[in-house]
Amino acid sequence: MDEEVNPDHENVNSVLAQDSIELFHILSSQSHSVIMELCQMMPSEAWRQYQLDPSSSSAAGRPELIKTMLDYFRSASARKCRNFLQSVCFSCENIPMLLESRLMSVAGYDNSEYKLVFVPDQSSAILSHFHFEVYFTCLDHWEQYISEVKKFLLKRWERLTAGLVREVQLENVWVSPRAANRTSHVNLPNHEYLKSAAHLTSFSPNSEPDGDYGYLESRVTLETFLQGCMGKVTVLVGQTGSGKTLLTSCLGQQWGPIPSSFVFVLLEFRQLNLLSHPLSLSELLFQYYLPPTGGEDAKVRTAIIDYLLTNPEQSCWVLDGYDEFHGKLSRQEGQRKPLHLEDPLPVADLISGLLNRQILPGSTVLVTCRVRDLIDLDGISDQVGQLLGWDQDEIKEYVDNFFGAKGENFIYLYLHCCWALFNYFICFIYFCKALRKCCFWLFCINLIFLCGSWCLLTPTSLQVPATLTQVYLTVLASFLSRAPNHGGDGNQYQSELCELSQLAWRGLEESKILFLKEEIPQEVLKFSLKIGLLSQVELRRQDGILANAYCFIHLTVQEFLAALRIMTSHDVNDAQLKKRFSLKTRWTTKSDQKTVFTDSLYLYVCGLASSECTPALVELAKVSGRAQSWVQKRQDLVLTLLKTMCNSNTLTGPKILQLCHSVQESQSHQLAKQVFGVRPKLELRNIWLLPNDIEALAFVVNSADHNDIGLDFGACSMELECLIVLARCQGIHNLSFHSRKYGDKFAEKLSSVLPKFTSLRKLEFSGASLTATGAASLASGLQECPHITDINVSDNNLRDEGISRIAEIFTKLQNLSNVA
């Protein structure tokens, strides 16, 4: 009689019964030879009983064959059932790890049955027992490595989140899903390729097609968005400072939507830049990510890699910060041939192979990058999502957390300030436009409290900053106040600050954001770490040895300090500054040019050209032996270069938007007037617009000396909050929206702000998705605009009811002369 399973273990027949449905689907995808091998484990009389022919290869009879086999072993003896499950695990492909571990556990760990694997002869039995032992050896090392990775990621997370006010939760982070473009473009002309990819980027780098390549606005949580990422290549894009690096670490710490049986590999492109020599997948994983315990033992590494190659779907690769990668990833067109993983490959080829599914097909891959670099991943990604900024409710919640959950902040401010100043701080956050620009992104919002706290605790600094540059100057003063023996104005540290700005500038010139200890003067390093402007990063050198490197707390901080260097030192002469700000190099459109840095440098340089920043620049310039007259001359040069851009009539929409940001930062109303001097209407196409962008437009529009300004939005994605900000544009004469993404909800929000456009004469809402419901909303807003002369609502879905809604207000608009 068959020996029954140990009662301490789970009943093997019950496990088979519980997992029969999943096993049926797995067996249905196996080859005919595998099914035949498993069928031979049933005695011939069983087939006669069910009147089936196991040798038949008929596809029609295959489901019944598998069902019969599962039914037989479900009611068979424990020994036969265990033999069957062991054979399934050894012979079948693509069995989920959790199911495989469960089946092998109940089928193979019983002492009396450990060696009883059903095979036709003794030699095969020895081989099967060998594979059984190898499998569990690999599994043990794999699970041990996963445990080590978890500890590693938890330590990283604790380091990154030190000092954060609000806990990072994936269900509180919002993403807008975007359609991934998997089309092959290998034979398309360059302009056609860019046109087809326009819906993936804020704007097409070389052109601005008039077509609708956008997407309907939608919002899902990051947790929901990532639920469908298993086995796919997912791209998460976001603006600078939106928290991409923090969120990837959060995924690693929480294991996110990734099963705990997966190995989570988090690699930063900024560190991959340091790997100049070819390397294998094993070297990338163990030498530059995390060596396993006993990592010097080749058998341990081999066991882990063997398990990974056999079960690629049980790995998740997160590649953070593609925008910081010096190289470019390649798209593999046509048939994707597997790569030989034992051969060393350049880092770019190794990562490209992972994305192109030439390496570890079936693995989960997540890449983060800025919007402008998304085009490099076109044709590779399965799904794309764009991180959304914080709305006013989320900002309010953050402020409440700062003064509520973090009660020590409230007590600190209250004890050092009067109640009136405390209330001023709240207003300071909610009503300062420059600070609202900071509030939009995860990293930048922390600057608010540095800036606000410093202003409260330093009565002479209570002037509200008008620009982002002024915010950064105030934040810099706050950092300097942390220095030992601080005297109040920070002037005693001008020398150290000067050297730090030189380091920032040198890094910008060399496209470097990581610095080794020997590259930084010792006193400057000690000073910068003390006040918090530099942070320590652990990395592995080319030889695999662990070393400490240093970087600025954020990329934009490095760019700000580099801008200070430009404005206060001879490191950049006038000719070099003119070259950097020339139209040809300032806003290049070549898609093959890739840079680590953002456009913040130019924004800060324009901001430092304002007279409000002159005193701070003069103090810093003294260290370099520069007088106040030299600083003012440099400021005048920047404004002159900016004026040249304002007078150019060849700028396309994205560049006009960047120009508006630069002019707003300079706070020059004279320059703002010149923007409309050569163009009465600003046309924006296929751009993702943020409230900050509309703020910049409002500054320029309201500075114009005439009221016939036009704004034309074509297929521009924007949050509804943008319309609230748009209402601040008092001089708009002509307002146009045309895109299928503008529907009833958009029209309803627009109608609520239309009465605030006191100069509005023409409204165009064409080529949209407006129905009778939206038309009714639009009509209610238009009847409050008595100066309207032209209305265009053509190419919508109005039908008779919608047209009637619009027609009802004709008699209320005395100046109306044209309707389309």
Side-chain angles (χ1 to χ4, degrees):
M1 188 173 72
D2 289 332
E3 186 179 15
E4 295 302 322
V5 70
N6 189 320
D8 293 335
H9 292 286
E10 192 171 9
N11 184 275
V12 65
N13 298 81
S14 299
V15 171
L16 177 57
Q18 294 169 14
D19 297 323
S20 285
I21 296 177
E22 189 171 2
L23 279 173
F24 175 83
H25 292 293
I26 292 172
L27 291 171
S28 298
S29 64
Q30 305 303 314
S31 66
H32 178 68
S33 60
V34 170
I35 300 299
M36 283 300 302
E37 179 183 340
L38 295 173
C39 285
Q40 295 302 323
M41 298 181 68
M42 291 177 61
S44 57
E45 55 268 20
W47 294 118
R48 287 194 294 270
Q49 176 184 349
Y50 290 102
Q51 297 182 342
L52 290 171
D53 181 10
S55 63
S56 174
S57 60
S58 171
R62 184 184 179 94
E64 187 65 25
L65 188 67
I66 296 174
K67 182 178 181 300
T68 298
M69 183 165 51
L70 292 173
D71 287 342
Y72 172 81
F73 286 108
R74 191 162 49 194
S75 58
S77 67
R79 176 179 297 176
K80 291 180 179 179
C81 188
R82 285 195 294 274
N83 288 339
F84 171 71
L85 292 182
Q86 287 178 2
S87 296
V88 167
C89 291
F90 291 136
S91 303
C92 296
E93 297 179 347
N94 301 321
I95 303 178
M97 179 181 177
L98 291 180
L99 176 62
E100 187 176 21
S101 298
R102 175 174 160 84
L103 297 180
M104 291 296 284
S105 177
V106 297
Y109 271 119
D110 183 76
N111 292 333
S112 62
E113 302 294 335
Y114 182 73
K115 298 181 181 180
L116 294 179
V117 181
F118 179 86
V119 286
D121 56 52
Q122 184 63 30
S123 61
S124 297
I126 297 174
L127 181 62
S128 296
H129 176 60
F130 170 75
H131 284 304
F132 189 78
E133 290 186 312
V134 169
Y135 171 84
F136 276 102
T137 299
C138 291
L139 184 60
D140 287 344
H141 288 305
W142 175 261
E143 292 177 343
Q144 177 63 31
Y145 189 63
I146 289 177
S147 177
E148 294 166 9
V149 169
K150 287 183 177 181
K151 294 177 183 178
F152 168 73
L153 292 172
L154 180 60
K155 182 180 179 182
R156 170 193 170 94
W157 175 249
E158 291 173 347
R159 184 178 70 250
L160 283 178
T161 55
L164 276 186
V165 173
R166 191 176 79 165
E167 182 182 354
V168 180
Q169 296 176 332
L170 301 182
E171 63 269 22
N172 292 330
V173 179
W174 292 94
V175 174
S176 178
R178 312 179 68 170
N181 189 359
R182 299 290 303 206
T183 306
S184 175
H185 305 289
V186 66
N187 296 319
L188 289 179
N190 187 50
H191 68 282
E192 288 295 333
Y193 166 72
L194 291 168
K195 186 175 180 180
S196 69
H199 73 288
L200 288 178
T201 56
S202 290
F203 53 88
S204 173
N206 290 341
S207 62
E208 294 177 90
D210 292 329
D212 234 352
Y213 301 99
Y215 48 89
L216 295 174
E217 265 63 19
S218 60
R219 286 164 55 98
V220 298
T221 65
L222 180 59
E223 184 180 43
T224 301
F225 174 72
L226 291 177
Q227 290 300 325
C229 73
M230 300 291 291
K232 297 179 180 178
V233 176
T234 300
V235 177
L236 189 65
V237 298
Q239 301 290 338
T240 304
S242 56
K244 298 184 293 296
T245 297
L246 190 64
L247 289 173
T248 56
S249 292
C250 181
L251 284 174
Q253 181 266 339
Q254 297 182 2
W255 229 247
I258 309 301
S260 58
S261 59
F262 281 33
V263 68
F264 194 100
V265 183
L266 175 55
L267 300 172
E268 291 183 329
F269 277 102
R270 61 165 60 185
Q271 296 209 25
L272 293 178
N273 286 329
L274 304 176
L275 308 180
S276 58
H277 69 280
L279 69 164
S280 65
L281 181 67
S282 175
E283 290 174 321
L284 177 65
L285 187 61
F286 299 138
Q287 193 168 344
Y288 298 105
Y289 180 55
L290 182 66
T293 300
E296 297 302 322
D297 187 349
K299 292 182 179 180
V300 174
R301 299 189 176 204
T302 301
I304 296 173
I305 287 295
D306 284 348
Y307 191 92
L308 176 61
L309 296 178
T310 308
N311 304 274
E313 71 282 353
Q314 294 178 24
S315 64
C316 178
W317 298 74
V318 177
L319 311 170
D320 180 48
Y322 171 63
D323 40 89
E324 298 176 350
F325 191 44
H326 291 161
K328 292 190 70 171
L329 302 178
S330 60
R331 285 187 295 268
Q332 179 68 34
E333 306 292 350
Q335 186 177 5
R336 298 170 180 176
K337 298 180 180 179
L339 297 175
H340 297 291
L341 299 185
E342 64 274 11
D343 297 333
L345 296 170
V347 174
D349 292 348
L350 199 58
I351 300 301
S352 296
L354 190 65
L355 293 171
N356 285 307
R357 317 316 263 165
Q358 298 168 284
I359 298 175
L360 302 180
S363 61
T364 300
V365 183
L366 174 65
V367 185
T368 71
C369 69
R370 293 197 288 264
V371 180
R372 71 178 186 196
D373 295 303
L374 183 56
I375 197 170
D376 287 357
L377 302 172
D378 184 31
I380 295 176
S381 55
D382 295 300
Q383 60 180 24
V384 179
Q386 177 152 349
L387 285 170
L388 299 177
W390 290 12
D391 57 26
Q392 293 300 317
D393 291 338
E394 290 173 304
I395 294 172
K396 184 178 183 303
E397 179 188 350
Y398 192 93
V399 175
D400 292 342
N401 284 344
F402 185 81
F403 294 114
K406 300 291 184 180
E408 66 273 12
N409 295 314
F410 174 86
I411 296 172
Y412 178 71
L413 287 174
Y414 184 77
L415 291 176
H416 288 77
C417 320
C418 65
W419 181 252
L421 287 182
F422 175 76
N423 285 328
Y424 174 83
F425 180 75
I426 301 299
C427 296
F428 190 81
I429 293 173
Y430 283 122
F431 300 107
C432 174
K433 294 179 181 179
L435 286 179
R436 280 205 308 271
K437 183 177 293 189
C438 287
C439 284
F440 197 67
W441 297 120
L442 183 61
F443 162 76
C444 297
I445 195 171
N446 287 285
L447 299 181
I448 297 172
F449 297 98
L450 284 173
C451 185
S453 301
W454 169 250
C455 288
L456 280 175
L457 300 176
T458 312
T460 58
S461 303
L462 280 178
Q463 181 179 356
V464 177
T467 66
L468 190 59
T469 305
Q470 292 175 25
V471 169
Y472 269 77
L473 278 173
T474 308
V475 168
L476 183 60
S478 175
F479 274 107
L480 290 175
S481 68
R482 301 175 178 180
N485 304 319
H486 177 62
D489 57 6
N491 288 339
Q492 68 267 40
Y493 300 111
Q494 295 300 326
S495 177
E496 289 86 348
L497 186 59
C498 183
E499 289 192 67
L500 194 60
S501 67
Q502 185 179 29
L503 178 70
W505 169 252
R506 188 171 75 246
L508 191 137
E509 285 282 87
E510 300 172 0
S511 293
K512 179 184 291 189
I513 54 180
L514 286 178
F515 303 89
L516 298 177
K517 184 176 182 179
E518 54 267 24
E519 296 177 305
I520 310 174
Q522 185 175 357
E523 288 302 317
V524 175
L525 177 59
K526 183 179 178 181
F527 168 79
S528 303
L529 290 174
K530 182 71 177 179
I531 66 175
L533 281 174
L534 286 182
S535 59
Q536 184 174 302
V537 178
E538 196 175 73
L539 58 81
R540 296 187 182 276
R541 293 176 179 264
Q542 189 78 6
D543 54 9
I545 298 177
L546 206 61
N548 287 330
Y550 303 89
C551 65
F552 290 89
I553 57 172
H554 196 263
L555 195 64
T556 56
V557 173
Q558 181 177 348
E559 291 179 286
F560 174 72
L561 291 172
L564 282 179
R565 191 66 181 178
I566 290 176
M567 300 300 290
T568 60
S569 173
H570 62 277
D571 288 357
V572 184
N573 58 41
D574 289 354
Q576 291 174 312
L577 183 57
K578 289 179 181 178
K579 183 178 179 180
R580 274 188 168 269
F581 265 77
S582 68
L583 286 175
K584 185 175 181 180
T585 58
R586 169 64 176 88
W587 288 319
T588 180
T589 58
K590 292 183 179 180
S591 60
D592 60 341
Q593 292 194 1
K594 194 170 185 296
T595 175
V596 173
F597 295 97
T598 70
D599 276 331
S600 298
L601 172 73
Y602 302 99
L603 200 65
Y604 298 141
V605 169
C606 293
L608 291 172
S610 65
S611 57
E612 288 81 1
C613 298
T614 303
L617 293 179
V618 169
E619 289 299 324
L620 192 58
K622 288 179 181 178
V623 181
S624 301
R626 301 292 170 177
Q628 179 173 350
S629 59
W630 185 90
V631 171
Q632 291 176 336
K633 180 182 176 182
R634 179 54 58 91
Q635 289 177 315
D636 291 341
L637 175 58
V638 172
L639 294 177
T640 300
L641 295 173
L642 197 53
K643 179 180 179 180
T644 302
M645 297 177 190
C646 292
N647 291 331
S648 172
N649 58 4
T650 61
L651 299 181
T652 55
K655 301 175 186 65
I656 289 176
L657 189 60
Q658 289 176 309
L659 176 63
C660 290
H661 277 289
S662 297
V663 171
Q664 179 196 29
E665 204 66 19
S666 73
Q667 290 292 287
S668 172
H669 293 281
Q670 186 61 39
L671 286 176
K673 292 179 181 179
Q674 294 181 14
V675 172
F676 284 101
V678 294
R679 55 181 79 79
K681 178 190 289 186
L682 299 185
E683 297 182 357
L684 304 176
R685 300 283 186 271
N686 293 297
I687 304 174
W688 181 294
L689 292 171
L690 305 175
N692 300 337
D693 300 320
I694 308 299
E695 290 274 14
L697 287 175
F699 177 84
V700 174
V701 168
N702 293 336
S703 298
D705 53 6
H706 52 86
N707 290 330
D708 57 348
I709 301 300
L711 290 180
D712 186 354
F713 300 98
C716 290
S717 299
M718 64 177 77
E719 293 290 315
L720 295 180
E721 185 180 344
C722 289
L723 293 176
I724 300 175
V725 182
L726 188 64
R728 300 187 187 127
C729 300
Q730 296 299 309
I732 295 181
H733 183 278
N734 186 348
L735 187 58
S736 301
F737 298 94
H738 43 94
S739 168
R740 294 297 177 196
K741 67 181 66 175
Y742 302 139
D744 293 343
K745 187 177 180 181
F746 190 89
E748 180 183 1
K749 191 65 178 182
L750 178 62
S751 66
S752 68
V753 300
L754 277 177
K756 299 181 181 180
F757 295 101
T758 56
S759 302
L760 189 63
R761 299 294 186 273
K762 300 178 181 179
L763 177 68
E764 181 179 355
F765 203 97
S766 63
S769 302
L770 199 65
T771 68
T773 302
S777 299
L778 207 57
S780 67
L782 282 171
Q783 65 183 355
E784 303 296 328
C785 303
H787 303 296
I788 285 287
T789 61
D790 293 78
I791 299 176
N792 185 350
V793 288
S794 62
D795 193 17
N796 278 288
N797 302 319
L798 297 181
R799 301 185 183 277
D800 292 342
E801 183 184 355
I803 294 174
S804 298
R805 294 285 191 177
I806 298 293
E808 289 174 357
I809 65 170
F810 288 172
T811 57
K812 301 178 182 180
L813 301 175
Q814 301 299 321
N815 295 311
L816 187 63
S817 61
N818 186 28
V819 179

